[in-house]
Amino acid sequence: MVRPILYRLADCPNSSLCRRLFLPPLLSPLLRDVPFVSSEFPTPSCAAFPLQFVRTDQQLSFSSSFRTGASYQPLGFPQESSLGGTKQPGVKSKKRDISAQFAPGASFPAQMADLMESEDFFHQAVTEERRPGDPSGAKDDVSRLSPAIGIDLGTSYSRVAVWHEGEIKLVPLDENNNTEIPSCVGLGGSPDDSPGENILIGWPAFQLLPQGRAIHRARRIVGRVDTDESLQLGARFWPFLVQLPGIGIRPVIALKKGDRWESVNAEEVLALQLHYLRRAAERFLGRDVSDAVLTSPAAFTRFQCGRLAAAAAAAGLRVRRIVAEPNAVGLLYAAQEKQRESARRKGTGRSEAAGGAGKSDRGKGTGAPGEQKESGRGKETEGPKSDEKESEDKEKNVLVFHLGSGYCSVGIVCIDDGVSQSRAIAGAAFGTDDFVNNLVARALTDPRTRAPAPDAPTDRKTLFWLWQTYREAMVQLSESEFVDLPEDPALGKTLSRAEFEESNEGLFRACVDMVTRCLADARLKPREVQEVHLLGGGVRINKLEVRKGREYDDELVKGAALEAAIAGGVPGVDTGLLLLQGINHPLGIKVEGDVFQPILSRNALIPTSRELIFTTIKDNQEQAIIQFYEGEQPVVEQNVFLGCLQVAPLPRARAGFPKIIVCLDVDAGDALRAHARVEMPPGDYEDPPGPLPEPLVVKLPSVDVGHGWCKEALRIKYGTSADVRLYETAPTGVRKKDA
Amino acid sequence: MSIHQVESQHSAECWSCGSAHGDDTLFFCNQCGAIQAASDTADYFQLLGVEPTFMVNLPVIEGKYKALQRKLHPDMYATKQKVEQDFSADQSSLVNKAYATLVNPLSRAIYLLRLRGIEAGDGEEGTMSDFELLSEVMEIREAIEEAEDIGGLQKLHQENAEKMRQSGAAFAAALQAGELQQALEWVHRMTYWDRIDKEITRKL
């Protein structure tokens, strides 16, 4: 039996960085010799590092005028309008009562449209009210360059960070200056008792969850279809309505409005959240924000990334990059290491000159005050110092393991002097939610018959309550062997760690497999991994704990903000920093016999392109339909359909004669394009071949639904008549290459 | 090749300052330092600035690769002109391909043969007439199938890595001696070892 140990990673000097994670012991033999970096992270030597963990109270030094101005109201959309109008009395009020638009009768999507319409208003409000004394508002060049913001739109919590005044800052997202808020969108009454129902986001929406009046976990739904197994399992325990007919359409989700359910879709929910986050960033920065870098789980398909980008567009954000989670962590760490390294070098030089004992970069006074005007944070970093690392080779392989609520991402990055290069990546569409799902499912099953227990509750509210109870119990299990459950017929008396482990054996195994695969992909032995970074929930449960100020997941969003600054060419960012990302899943096309022929392999570093030559399978074949897929499986059926293009008309020729050249091109922003053209090799033609089809470029994904229908339709319409196969290069042997 | 290259062929003159390129102009103009269109003649070894041999120094390749990406990656051209951004995208993509090809022994061997006009396929299994090798491969595959525990697999994995190393050395020697047909046969062997390597890692 798999016996997961709950590693409670030692509290680091920065008490907010305490992380706990469920890790199966199978991981530990794999990584036995690897020091867990989290226990000494951040190390004292990051004292001089400006990207280092910014305390909430320090962050907010930005805006005294902000606070002393009109009351800082919650960031619900209706309030924003009033804020725009009241913050500076001098500005001509263009106030439009948005809450009035959100009339009780108006449907949710209509509200969304209204929201979009009111964009102009928001923009004007923001640009007009330049707060006096706010440097970012005063300097034109700063606002013109406007670095993109980094957004971590997590499954359960969202965060925003941005490169601001020479460092990465977390953006406060609500009236309590929380820098993370639940990824929830709900409909509810407004705090100021304005009529109608308002769209609420974050904690206010979180409160509405049990009543079904809010949506959470939209990131688990987006870009997935109703046949998705993990969606089907998880959706049973969600408090809002989810309909999964199981025919390959997007799920119908709805929230409670009065006494009926109102349908929304996941993109809308994400767009509302993103809009809210964007507004929070604009408020923080005092300028417009139009660009963002988002993080995504490694398991996200291109289709899901596309939907995420579409949601961002609806929220008025252009997505510059989508960074896979392990890469975001890698980049931030590369930057920190570089900073640490140069601080160390400076520190050592100085102390040698003074005849000191070296390694004097502990704390504020002896740090490297020259480092980017940021010596003032030294006081945060007291703690042990790892001396043995000093002499180490500067290249480091870092394994990042992130188990969030909805997705699990594993990656190995190679850190070298500010460059973070992705070596391998793996992801799965399960997270800590699924651990809880398994617990609840177990509780609802009769242990003897393995059938659903006869008295199992079926109503949504109870199921959600059960789910939350177990979630809480799971967290407590990280501290104790047994947890007492509340008294309820549907629950047992206690939950033991053994039971928990037993229910989730498969998931633990999957975690291990991902790590193993990454190591194999990167061609690394476990001992060649110098550090392991662990992130993510497993424990992030109730808001009480959040209020304690745990920040361990901030690295994701900070990494995204840093990439935004680098890719945006923001002055002041170290130009030696670079993120080299790879492709998360193999990309290829369907060839004869429903076989998946990869063109670009997993982990190929981007930007990249590769072409393969295909040919017809029938004599005088009139056209070829190139079907593009993404995925790991050898048969196309199990991979994700990205789109297709038609190469026609093909010249009359024997089967296997025309060369259909397909090139897949991924640019630095991870946009995928397919190029196709036809060539006729020289030879004797019976008929002169007609004109060749013109070269064609298609942006992928080009279909609307990630799975199912399209390829079925293609099969019905064309069968195998438009299939292709790999062009025969001469049987492996000495052969002159083509001109 | 990517779209940009169709539009902007590598030319003999710098697009920015008009000065003539030397033979060694791969990425930047010698005169003004502006990024240039990707070379369509330079091979991957030239791009990464290493000797075109099989026995390469991997850390050197890693280092050169990162140094190039630091200068060429599109992230560095966010505030530059469109033409420079396009060149950067092409150059960066080309360097990525060069790196990926040279860093893996099998693809490096195949590429070395290709530079000599010999097509050894894309790491695909070809027809094989060497029955001794075939039966050896069969045996190993059976052993993989039958391997019960991780330890057994790891042993097979190590043995296979050793075979890959030996074949690589033999390939390098054959190439050095100009025995291309022999070199090709070694590449075939390496193809098998690569396949086996993948099979083992899948089971590990």
Side-chain angles (χ1 to χ4, degrees), chain A residues 673-691:
Chain A
R673 284 184 191 78
H675 307 234
R677 63 180 200 277
V678 178
E679 278 176 15
M680 294 297 276
D684 298 325
Y685 299 105
E686 290 183 9
D687 312 335

Side-chain angles (χ1 to χ4, degrees), chain A residues 321-337:
Chain A
R321 295 270 190 284
I322 294 185
V323 183
E325 284 162 352
N327 292 332
V329 177
L331 177 66
L332 183 73
Y333 187 57
Q336 288 170 336
E337 279 287 281

Side-chain angles (χ1 to χ4, degrees), chain B residues 6-151:
Chain B
V6 182
E7 292 156 8
S8 50
Q9 295 293 326
H10 191 66
S11 73
E13 285 174 1
C14 173
W15 62 272
S16 176
C17 69
S19 59
H21 285 329
D23 291 340
D24 55 340
T25 306
L26 289 176
F27 306 107
F28 302 99
C29 173
N30 293 337
Q31 298 297 317
C32 67
I35 189 168
Q36 301 298 309
S39 163
D40 38 17
T41 53
D43 67 47
Y44 291 165
F45 291 97
Q46 287 167 334
L47 285 174
L48 290 179
V50 292
E51 285 297 308
T53 58
F54 181 75
M55 293 301 183
V56 293
N57 184 343
L58 280 181
V60 169
I61 289 191
E62 298 276 350
K64 300 234 179 193
Y65 165 73
K66 278 174 201 158
L68 279 175
Q69 285 295 13
R70 238 185 249 270
K71 291 187 281 184
L72 294 172
H73 195 274
D75 275 5
M76 305 299 162
Y77 290 82
T79 54
K80 301 283 170 60
Q81 295 177 43
K82 176 83 171 70
V83 56
E84 289 172 281
Q85 288 177 351
D86 287 352
F87 288 162
S88 142
D90 285 347
Q91 293 274 26
S92 178
S93 173
L94 194 61
V95 168
N96 270 335
K97 274 185 275 183
Y99 168 75
T101 306
L102 299 193
V103 89
N104 175 307
L106 177 61
S107 60
R108 182 166 69 236
I110 291 171
Y111 186 71
L112 276 164
L113 283 181
R114 187 173 297 151
L115 287 180
R116 287 162 177 74
I118 296 173
E119 210 49 57
D122 239 344
E124 303 288 327
E125 255 167 292
T127 49
M128 180 55 68
S129 48
D130 184 343
F131 288 104
E132 220 170 287
L133 174 64
L134 273 186
S135 59
E136 191 184 344
V137 169
M138 296 277 270
E139 270 172 37
I140 298 173
R141 288 202 167 142
E142 269 170 34
I144 296 173
E145 285 299 313
E146 287 161 11
E148 294 287 329
D149 57 341
I150 297 273

Side-chain angles (χ1 to χ4, degrees), chain A residues 348-399:
Chain A
T348 321
R350 198 159 298 172
S351 58
E352 273 166 9
K359 281 145 198 139
S360 56
D361 46 350
R362 171 191 301 238
K364 177 181 177 179
T366 50
E371 288 302 320
Q372 301 204 13
K373 72 179 178 184
E374 275 306 319
S375 56
R377 301 211 184 285
K379 61 174 186 258
E380 279 186 37
T381 54
E382 291 291 327
K385 176 98 182 93
S386 53
D387 286 10
E388 68 281 2
K389 293 233 156 130
E390 300 293 312
S391 57
E392 212 167 75
D393 190 4
K394 62 176 182 169
E395 189 175 293
K396 267 188 191 173
N397 294 309
V398 178
L399 182 109

Side-chain angles (χ1 to χ4, degrees), chain A residues 615-635:
Chain A
T615 191
T616 52
I617 58 161
K618 292 194 171 67
D619 289 340
N620 299 329
Q621 189 171 322
E622 286 170 4
Q623 63 171 337
I625 292 182
I626 314 288
Q627 300 180 27
F628 299 94
Y629 287 86
E630 171 181 52
E632 319 277 345
Q633 304 302 325
V635 282

Side-chain angles (χ1 to χ4, degrees), chain A residues 142-209:
Chain A
V142 176
S143 58
R144 184 169 45 81
L145 284 166
S146 78
I149 55 174
I151 300 179
D152 173 23
L153 191 62
T155 307
S156 47
Y157 289 89
S158 303
R159 296 168 198 82
V160 178
V162 65
W163 181 271
H164 184 56
E165 294 170 352
E167 62 180 7
I168 295 176
K169 288 189 172 167
L170 289 170
V171 174
L173 297 174
D174 62 15
E175 74 273 25
N176 297 322
N177 293 322
N178 286 320
T179 52
E180 63 173 17
I181 55 166
S183 299
C184 284
V185 173
L187 276 181
S190 73
D192 60 354
D193 294 327
S194 61
E197 289 188 308
N198 299 302
I199 297 172
L200 299 174
I201 286 167
W203 289 115
F206 187 79
Q207 320 289 359
L208 298 174
L209 267 178

